[in-house]
Amino acid sequence: MKAINPTTGEAKWQTGFKSPNWAGTLVTAGGLVFTGTRTGELIAGRRRYRRDLWRFQTSSGIVGQPVTWQQNGTHM
């Protein structure tokens, strides 16, 4: 996974995975990064520190995209 500045094209940071990562990535305004792996790990990290905050082993590989939405003025 690589964070790229969309205006300059400069890579800000990157990290590797043990297997190809097919899951999407969600980055919040607060700097949290969420993604998953084909081996079933759901990962939350901090964009600024480039390290994992939390990992959870699910029962199957993760290949979908994380989603966020707003309802009645509250982000879910």
Side-chain angles (χ1 to χ4, degrees):
M1 180 167 44
K2 185 184 286 189
I4 298 174
N5 181 325
T7 357
T8 65
E10 174 190 4
K12 302 303 261 176
W13 58 266
Q14 67 183 29
T15 187
F17 290 96
K18 294 177 185 173
S19 64
N21 186 20
W22 292 354
T25 303
L26 173 74
V27 182
T28 69
L32 292 175
V33 180
F34 295 91
T35 192
T37 66
R38 287 180 54 200
T39 56
E41 289 180 290
L42 179 59
I43 303 167
R46 296 284 299 167
R47 176 182 66 205
R48 182 175 182 182
Y49 302 112
R50 294 171 258 173
R51 64 183 170 115
D52 296 348
L53 291 175
W54 177 79
R55 282 181 176 252
F56 178 76
Q57 183 65 53
T58 68
S59 59
S60 66
I62 299 170
V63 295
Q65 283 57 5
V67 177
T68 184
W69 70 93
Q70 186 175 25
Q71 180 177 338
N72 299 327
T74 301
H75 284 94
M76 306 302 229

